[in-house]
Amino acid sequence: MKKSVIETVNLQKKYVTDTVETTALAGVNIQVGKGEFVAIMGPSGCGKSTLLNMLGMLDAPTAGSLKFMGTEIASATERHRANLRKENLGFIFQSFNLIDELTVHENVELPLFYQGLPKNEIKQRVDAALERVGIAHRRNHFPQQLSGGQQQRVAIARAVVGRPSLILADEPTGNLDSQHGREVMTLLSELNEDGATIVMVTHSPSDAEYAHRIINLLDGQVITERIHATSAALAL
Amino acid sequence: MFKMYFLTASRSILRNKSYSILNIAGLTLGITCSILLFLVIKYELSYDSFHSKADRIYRATTISSYREGEEKSSAAHYPLADLLRTNKNLGFEQITQTHGEEGGQINVLGDDGNSIKRFREEAHIGFVEPEFFDIFDFETGNQSAVASLSEPNNVILTETLATKYFDGKNPLGRLIKFNNKLTLKVTGVIPDLPNNTDLPFSMFISYKSFIDYSPYGDAKSWNTLSSTHQLYAVLPESKTEKEATAELNNLLVNHIPDKSANLPKEAYSLQPLKDIHFNAELSNYSNRTVSREVIWSMALVGIFMVIVACINFVNLATAQAIKRAREVGVRKVMGSSQLQLMLQFLGETFLITLTATLLSVVLAELALPYLNELLELEITFTVLQDPVLLFFLVAQVLLVTLFAGIYPALIMARFQPIAALKSRINTQKVAGLSLRSALVVLQFTICQVLIICTILVNEQMEFFKSKSLGFDKEAVVTVFLPTGEGKKLMPMRQELANHPAVKKISLASSPPSANFTFTGNFKFNNSSEDVPFHANYKMADENYLELYDMKVLAGRHYKDSDSAAYVINETMRRKLGIESPAEAINKTIALGNGEVKGYIIGVVEDFHQNSLRDPIDPAIILARPDNYWFLSAKIDMANKQEALQHLEKVWNKTYPDDVFDYEFLDETIERFYQDEARQNKLFKIFSIIAIFIGCLGLYGLVAFMAAQRTKEVGIRKVLGASMFNITVLFSKEFVKLVLIAFILAVPIAYYLMNKWLQDFTYRITLDYWPFILAGVVTLIIAIITMSSQAIKASLTNPVVSLKSE
């Protein structure tokens, strides 16, 4: 098996309020190998997004182990997690989450800007990313001037521009019509073929078909893992 | 990186236009006020600070101790300067004596020595020695002019007066006449003195001319003190103020001739030059002092204005933070650190503050002429050439940025990225709902304190105008009489009264209320001992009581010829221990050291002889025709012009060389309170602006809340809420805050105003209504501000508002 990008052992997350303790993740064990495209599915409230937040280092687990590239990060500080995030992860959201005040180009350069890369390099990489997702002609537009599909392409360009080890996508087609949805999924697929590791949360069975492996969650636990036939060879 | 921040900041400012306008407008107003107040304070503090020896220049002032209390005077005895000089200046580096006159009559003489032009000069005129210009750093141009001041009958003019008198022709060698007494040769012209000096002379007459001008000019009398005669000395660096004062007093004890036991004991005290402008106890030549309390209160008001504006900013920015939550989330996910986010938001605050400050500079420049007019000051505004002002502005931009920006920046930078991305941050979650409430309370407390103070200062001013002074000050014209023309007085009085529009004419040493008094010791009831207090002498003719409508409680007024008949006031009667006005009649009084004996012929009701700051003094009214310096004319205001014309005609006939320069007494008396009147105006303007800034913030806050609660409003409307219900819903919280602010403001304002009013012997009582009024006014303004937004929210179609999520 290929080296794991991310690996969880008995990963747990509980939310505690004054009166209620809610278990969002009740011991999840998964592994994602380099170059894999994994889809996480499950009904609302099953813990999909919580798991993605853990993998994305946006939140810390309550218990269990979380290893990123072989390093334990379950109890890492927010600052440490922020640094790892900055250098290794790309995010794609259902609601695109572009900054309205910034142009397409400026939105995409944001991760590089925070990584402190030199100006020339930033420009080259942003241009390449915009070309890659086919939105270069709109580089000076603001997000509201674009269609949903175009906005998601910008978000994808932003996710890949930092050349992350792992791309996390949360319902990337949730806000798009089916045609734009298909275009976005094709784009993700192509990125995966080019070598990107992707973990995607989705409701949509047809989107999940693009992945090599589908993990089904229910009540905070993995109930089934299905390897997609056409890519079984790649995953194992 | 900064370019990126700048871009985001400016786009965000442009995108949220109404929010930015509210913020910038509030800050601009607050900062403008602070700039203006800063300029005023800086100007006041700059008085006479520009002399190179300023730290070592002192004025010799006198403390006279009576059996009952002491009196401070800015005067030094006339012979002191000569005495010091014969004692090698007593170790002082330099000394100089001055005599100041508040204007006078100037006649410009032609080549034949005849008057060709007459001026009633309002500018200050000084009798000075050449040393004056060594001690004080006023620009003199050439030294020979200054040297000419060592000879009598020479005068140096400032450029303004030289131009005014001689129309730009060469004034050197020309003659002018001062008060029809002194003929002076113009020996020099110097640039006008700066405005910020308490030695504001426009004309410098050689001090040696003073001998011919004033009966005190012979410099022999140790019995007379006049605040117009002052002595300045430069202390050597090796000597302390204390040592010098001790030496000065030793000299006084050893040289002053034996004084009668009844005269006050006098001692000198050295007053630093830098204290003169701020010490109201001692007068100065500019007749204007500003107490340090007033300076502090102006500084405080300025700081308050900026705080109120900053609070707006914090409130609006934290409310606005919710809108920015997603952006924060995205930036965090993209790898921004908290510090980077904080810097970004502080950068935006900086940009807004900078914009507001630039606008403020323009606004302050536009407003300054009006402020100058209002406060009767001459402040100039040159930002780029004024390093202190520039420093103030830069420091203010940075402080306001930090004060207004740090909290919202901290709040936003601390958003948890997941919550921020999922719009799970709402008004409640932006920690600081309670802080924002506290800030609104603080803001409204400041506003209400300002309003209460304004109402009360205003009330005290009205009290000054309306308080019965014990005499009738309306429709009275007063004119200062030329001295040494006693014989003309009585015929002129007769002729002046001879017109239907003139009701009564009286001649006296001064009107009942004046900013100067003559006091003296006296004996009562055949005693050989002086009474332990001094009385004010009002020397007046037989028409005085009637013209001023002063109420006689017992006895009668005297006739002009009755030089031994005295009228006293009630305070005098009480202080002498006489039971009733009637009992006072025929009791004897011996004035001065017993030479003039007379008897009480009448008792009048108390009347104010000074401003209402001071208590009513015991007073003796007596006939002394040699000391009549004021003409009072009661005229028929319906025929004012005719009356004035008649007065002027008779005046010109009687005194062809003197300009008829009249004043209405009620206006003269109003001027007693000009400092308070200025403070009153200042308070009024700034409290209105403070309220306005506060309302801007409130408006923004409610507008934002309305936007946030659109869905709630929709649901409530669907469930049957009326517009009124919605308005109440929105207003309830803020009304509560305004009420809390009111409870805080009352004791603060009470304390401040109580302290302020203590300066006045006669003052308003602190009633409850100004407090209530301030509370109600603030509440109404706040409710109006809020209602507009609440009504707007409640008018929205519920279908639309429910779709907002």
Side-chain angles (χ1 to χ4, degrees):
Chain A
M1 185 177 165
K2 288 198 171 183
K3 194 182 167 194
S4 296
V5 175
I6 203 149
E7 182 180 359
T8 74
V9 180
N10 195 23
L11 194 71
Q12 295 177 34
K13 179 71 183 175
K14 288 178 182 152
Y15 294 104
V16 186
T17 64
D18 291 346
T19 47
V20 194
E21 188 186 285
T22 318
T23 303
L25 295 179
V28 172
N29 302 299
I30 58 165
Q31 267 188 334
V32 178
K34 192 168 164 31
E36 252 198 299
F37 188 166
V38 177
I40 300 173
M41 293 191 73
S44 290
C46 70
K48 301 188 296 285
S49 293
T50 307
L51 179 59
L52 198 72
N53 287 341
M54 299 293 142
L55 301 182
M57 302 171 208
L58 292 169
D59 206 350
T62 317
S65 160
L66 173 62
K67 281 185 180 163
F68 181 74
M69 309 289 271
T71 314
E72 179 59 51
I73 53 157
S75 53
T77 60
E78 161 62 25
R79 184 188 290 259
H80 185 205
R81 281 190 276 134
N83 275 332
L84 281 175
R85 211 157 60 207
K86 179 159 79 177
E87 284 157 20
N88 299 296
L89 300 183
F91 289 86
I92 300 164
F93 305 93
Q94 178 180 354
S95 52
F96 324 134
N97 278 333
L98 299 173
I99 296 177
D100 294 341
E101 279 75 24
L102 300 180
T103 62
V104 165
H105 187 96
E106 288 160 354
N107 264 295
V108 174
E109 75 178 4
L110 209 56
L112 305 181
F113 166 74
Y114 284 122
Q115 283 179 29
L117 294 186
K119 244 181 178 175
N120 283 340
E121 195 182 341
I122 291 183
K123 193 175 172 339
Q124 279 171 16
R125 281 168 70 169
V126 171
D127 286 346
L130 290 174
E131 290 292 347
R132 180 69 192 80
V133 302
I135 200 84
H137 60 297
R138 297 283 173 119
R139 67 174 70 244
N140 291 322
H141 285 61
F142 285 94
Q144 299 93 322
Q145 297 168 313
L146 306 178
S147 72
Q150 287 173 321
Q151 288 192 43
Q152 195 59 300
R153 280 165 187 273
V154 177
I156 292 172
R158 186 178 61 182
V160 299
V161 74
R163 294 177 190 157
S165 326
L166 177 62
I167 295 174
L168 297 162
D170 190 357
E171 308 259 10
T173 62
N175 277 8
L176 301 174
D177 60 37
S178 58
Q179 192 203 324
H180 282 118
R182 271 198 303 280
E183 282 172 27
V184 163
M185 285 317 298
T186 309
L187 185 55
L188 283 179
S189 225
E190 287 167 13
L191 288 171
N192 176 244
E193 277 159 26
D194 293 345
T197 311
I198 300 176
V199 176
M200 172 180 76
V201 162
T202 184
H203 265 119
S204 152
S206 58
D207 284 0
E209 291 304 313
Y210 288 86
H212 308 145
R213 185 149 60 104
I214 302 171
I215 297 171
N216 272 299
L217 285 189
L218 185 68
D219 295 339
Q221 284 178 310
V222 178
I223 49 162
T224 59
E225 250 190 279
R226 181 165 65 89
I227 297 161
H228 202 271
T230 54
S231 51
L234 185 88
L236 293 171
Chain B
M1 184 149 112
F2 285 107
K3 189 186 148 211
M4 178 80 138
Y5 286 152
F6 178 82
L7 261 179
T8 330
S10 50
R11 284 186 196 146
S12 151
I13 289 169
L14 287 175
R15 175 177 295 274
N16 302 298
K17 273 200 196 72
S18 51
Y19 159 81
S20 308
I21 287 172
L22 282 179
N23 255 337
I24 292 176
L27 275 179
T28 303
L29 278 175
I31 293 174
T32 306
C33 292
S34 81
I35 292 177
L36 290 173
L37 285 167
F38 175 82
L39 288 172
V40 173
I41 293 171
K42 181 169 158 279
Y43 178 76
E44 299 289 7
L45 292 180
S46 73
Y47 263 72
D48 286 311
S49 62
F50 50 85
H51 306 293
S52 53
K53 296 172 194 158
D55 289 330
R56 297 191 286 128
I57 302 175
Y58 288 83
R59 180 167 73 170
T61 64
T62 315
I63 303 166
S64 307
S65 308
Y66 300 87
R67 260 194 279 171
E68 287 190 356
E70 58 175 41
E71 200 175 300
K72 290 183 180 174
S73 165
S74 49
H77 296 96
Y78 287 96
L80 179 63
D82 284 348
L83 183 62
L84 282 174
R85 283 178 179 136
T86 53
N87 284 277
K88 294 182 177 160
N89 281 357
L90 212 65
F92 288 114
E93 244 173 56
Q94 279 160 317
I95 61 156
T96 193
Q97 58 185 332
T98 54
H99 170 87
E101 294 266 324
E102 280 176 49
Q105 184 171 319
I106 301 295
N107 292 35
V108 177
L109 306 184
D111 294 335
D112 56 357
N114 285 330
S115 170
I116 49 172
K117 268 192 275 184
R118 289 196 308 186
F119 295 91
R120 181 75 219 175
E121 188 53 68
E122 305 276 342
H124 293 266
I125 293 162
F127 288 78
V128 302
E129 301 169 320
E131 290 86 349
F132 180 86
F133 290 100
D134 291 336
I135 294 179
F136 301 106
D137 298 349
F138 296 119
E139 228 179 294
T140 53
N142 69 68
Q143 277 305 304
S144 67
V146 172
S148 75
L149 290 177
S150 59
E151 299 297 322
N153 302 323
N154 288 336
V155 65
I156 297 178
L157 301 178
T158 52
E159 279 164 4
T160 302
L161 287 193
T163 315
K164 178 173 162 188
Y165 298 157
F166 300 104
D167 301 325
K169 291 183 195 119
N170 181 13
L172 294 179
R174 296 284 300 271
L175 297 179
I176 61 171
K177 205 164 186 181
F178 176 57
N179 275 350
N180 283 317
K181 262 190 181 169
L182 289 178
T183 303
L184 305 164
K185 185 167 92 177
V186 179
T187 51
V189 175
I190 64 170
D192 289 0
L193 267 48
N195 299 318
N196 51 347
T197 174
D198 285 314
L199 301 153
F201 302 126
S202 295
M203 188 186 295
F204 300 86
I205 302 173
S206 54
Y207 191 83
K208 282 191 173 155
S209 326
F210 190 59
I211 298 162
D212 294 328
Y213 178 72
S214 162
Y216 306 115
D218 64 356
K220 296 282 187 294
S221 170
W222 288 93
N223 281 336
T224 313
L225 282 173
S226 164
S227 56
T228 55
H229 180 266
Q230 303 182 359
L231 187 135
Y232 293 86
V234 181
L235 201 67
E237 264 154 25
S238 57
K239 202 181 272 189
T240 66
E241 180 190 330
K242 210 171 154 190
E243 291 165 355
T245 311
E247 284 174 32
L248 202 56
N249 281 318
N250 271 338
L251 188 77
L252 182 73
V253 172
N254 293 331
H255 284 82
I256 202 164
D258 274 348
K259 280 192 163 186
S260 146
N262 288 320
L263 289 172
K265 299 274 174 291
E266 281 156 356
Y268 289 124
S269 162
L270 287 175
Q271 182 190 23
L273 180 69
K274 285 187 162 173
D275 181 55
I276 291 179
H277 193 63
F278 310 104
N279 190 338
E281 272 189 319
L282 294 163
S283 64
N284 61 44
Y285 288 130
S286 73
N287 290 327
R288 223 184 119 248
T289 56
V290 180
S291 70
R292 294 214 158 78
E293 286 79 27
V294 171
I295 301 264
W296 275 113
S297 59
M298 284 195 287
L300 217 58
V301 169
I303 293 170
F304 278 170
M305 306 293 287
V306 176
I307 289 180
V308 170
C310 283
I311 290 176
N312 263 2
F313 192 98
V314 174
N315 274 338
L316 290 174
T318 42
Q320 190 80 8
I322 299 154
K323 269 196 187 173
R324 308 276 306 261
R326 207 168 56 96
E327 178 191 335
V328 172
V330 173
R331 284 184 185 274
K332 279 203 157 180
V333 168
M334 294 300 135
S336 170
S337 68
Q338 270 196 26
L339 186 70
Q340 280 171 318
L341 278 167
M342 279 191 64
L343 282 177
Q344 182 195 332
F345 290 122
L346 276 177
E348 285 178 27
T349 314
F350 175 78
L351 209 63
I352 288 186
T353 312
L354 191 69
T355 313
T357 303
L358 293 176
L359 288 173
S360 297
V361 168
V362 176
L363 210 59
E365 189 142 22
L366 293 174
L368 192 61
Y370 299 98
L371 189 75
N372 271 334
E373 202 181 314
L374 191 77
L375 301 182
E376 292 164 53
L377 299 176
E378 293 172 53
I379 303 170
T380 50
F381 187 46
T382 42
V383 192
L384 295 177
Q385 290 156 29
D386 189 340
V388 183
L389 179 62
L390 218 52
F391 174 78
F392 169 77
L393 290 175
V394 172
Q396 174 152 291
V397 168
L398 295 180
L399 278 175
V400 169
T401 302
L402 274 183
F403 186 78
I406 199 96
Y407 181 74
L410 208 64
I411 288 285
M412 287 195 264
R414 278 195 188 155
F415 283 159
Q416 286 305 315
I418 307 171
L421 282 174
K422 300 251 155 124
S423 305
R424 266 196 253 132
I425 289 176
N426 56 29
T427 338
Q428 267 70 30
K429 274 217 179 126
V430 178
L433 183 67
S434 57
L435 181 113
R436 256 183 315 173
S437 305
L439 289 178
V440 172
V441 168
L442 176 62
Q443 209 174 20
F444 275 92
T445 306
I446 292 174
C447 290
Q448 292 189 65
V449 168
L450 283 173
I451 299 181
I452 296 171
C453 291
T454 307
I455 296 175
L456 288 171
V457 170
N458 207 42
E459 221 193 316
Q460 177 71 19
M461 294 308 296
E462 287 305 313
F463 177 78
F464 286 148
K465 282 186 205 153
S466 60
K467 164 115 179 47
S468 163
L469 299 175
F471 62 92
D472 184 7
K473 64 181 194 297
E474 306 300 325
V476 177
V477 174
T478 63
V479 195
F480 195 58
L481 294 164
T483 47
E485 306 247 19
K487 277 183 199 143
K488 295 176 172 177
L489 286 176
M490 290 307 159
M492 179 178 70
R493 186 178 78 180
Q494 186 67 37
E495 204 176 341
L496 285 169
N498 201 8
H499 189 280
V502 177
K503 291 179 176 166
K504 201 89 193 164
I505 299 288
S506 170
L507 303 165
S509 57
S510 71
S513 279
N515 54 7
F516 57 93
T517 50
F518 305 93
T519 62
N521 55 319
F522 65 99
K523 297 180 178 65
F524 173 62
N525 220 359
N526 296 320
S527 165
S528 58
E529 278 279 310
D530 273 6
V531 292
F533 57 87
H534 280 202
N536 275 343
Y537 296 170
K538 288 280 172 193
M539 291 152 293
D541 67 4
E542 61 186 26
N543 293 340
Y544 197 67
L545 296 191
E546 198 184 324
L547 185 142
Y548 283 110
D549 199 16
M550 292 158 86
K551 198 172 169 202
V552 180
L553 298 172
R556 59 176 178 83
H557 196 23
Y558 49 73
K559 290 284 163 206
D560 281 337
S561 54
D562 253 346
S563 63
Y566 304 144
V567 171
I568 63 168
N569 68 349
E570 275 283 86
T571 299
M572 174 85 159
R573 174 189 68 77
R574 278 195 303 273
K575 283 197 113 172
L576 289 174
I578 305 169
E579 288 292 314
S580 71
E583 277 174 57
I585 306 303
N586 288 331
K587 294 253 181 339
T588 61
I589 280 179
L591 298 181
N593 294 331
E595 299 90 350
V596 198
K597 201 164 179 173
Y599 54 94
I600 299 172
I601 192 177
V603 178
V604 289
E605 224 173 44
D606 270 337
F607 61 97
H608 287 274
Q609 298 134 49
N610 306 92
S611 80
L612 295 174
R613 282 179 215 101
D614 304 315
I616 292 179
D617 289 325
I620 305 175
I621 304 170
L622 67 164
R624 289 287 181 278
D626 290 346
N627 295 309
Y628 295 163
W629 303 308
F630 269 93
L631 172 104
S632 306
K634 179 95 177 175
I635 61 168
D636 177 6
M637 287 305 273
N639 295 307
K640 183 175 139 191
Q641 283 315 316
E642 285 171 50
L644 287 173
Q645 274 163 18
H646 171 70
L647 293 179
E648 184 166 12
K649 201 175 96 194
V650 177
W651 176 275
N652 285 338
K653 198 177 108 191
T654 319
Y655 304 114
D657 292 334
D658 294 278
V659 180
F660 177 70
D661 187 32
Y662 69 92
E663 233 174 3
F664 278 95
L665 183 61
D666 51 353
E667 288 168 12
T668 314
I669 289 175
E670 216 175 295
R671 271 215 306 281
F672 291 177
Y673 312 109
Q674 57 186 5
D675 286 343
E676 286 82 6
R678 280 192 210 115
Q679 286 168 30
N680 185 22
K681 287 182 207 159
L682 208 64
F683 263 124
K684 258 190 214 166
I685 295 173
F686 286 122
S687 51
I688 290 171
I689 296 177
I691 284 275
F692 183 70
I693 300 175
C695 285
L696 280 185
L698 195 59
Y699 180 84
L701 211 51
V702 177
F704 186 80
M705 273 186 52
Q708 280 290 299
R709 294 167 79 172
T710 318
K711 189 177 166 195
E712 179 191 339
V713 170
I715 295 172
R716 282 176 189 271
K717 277 190 83 175
V718 168
L719 296 177
S722 68
M723 190 163 97
F724 177 75
N725 297 143
I726 303 286
T727 311
V728 169
L729 176 77
F730 274 77
S731 311
K732 215 166 54 190
E733 191 193 345
F734 289 103
V735 168
K736 207 167 66 195
L737 299 183
V738 172
L739 289 179
I740 295 173
F742 176 69
I743 293 167
L744 291 175
V746 166
I748 298 172
Y750 181 86
Y751 170 79
L752 290 175
M753 287 324 284
N754 211 18
K755 217 165 165 224
W756 184 75
L757 285 171
Q758 264 162 20
D759 282 351
F760 306 100
T761 310
Y762 298 91
R763 54 183 187 244
I764 50 167
T765 46
L766 281 175
D767 224 345
Y768 62 88
W769 72 263
F771 295 88
I772 302 290
L773 183 66
V776 171
V777 165
T778 322
L779 199 59
I780 291 175
I781 295 177
I783 288 178
I784 292 173
T785 310
M786 291 182 292
S787 312
S788 61
Q789 282 303 318
I791 290 170
K792 203 173 126 192
S794 63
L795 287 177
T796 318
N797 184 341
V799 177
V800 178
S801 39
L802 282 177
K803 268 194 181 161
S804 81
E805 293 270 310

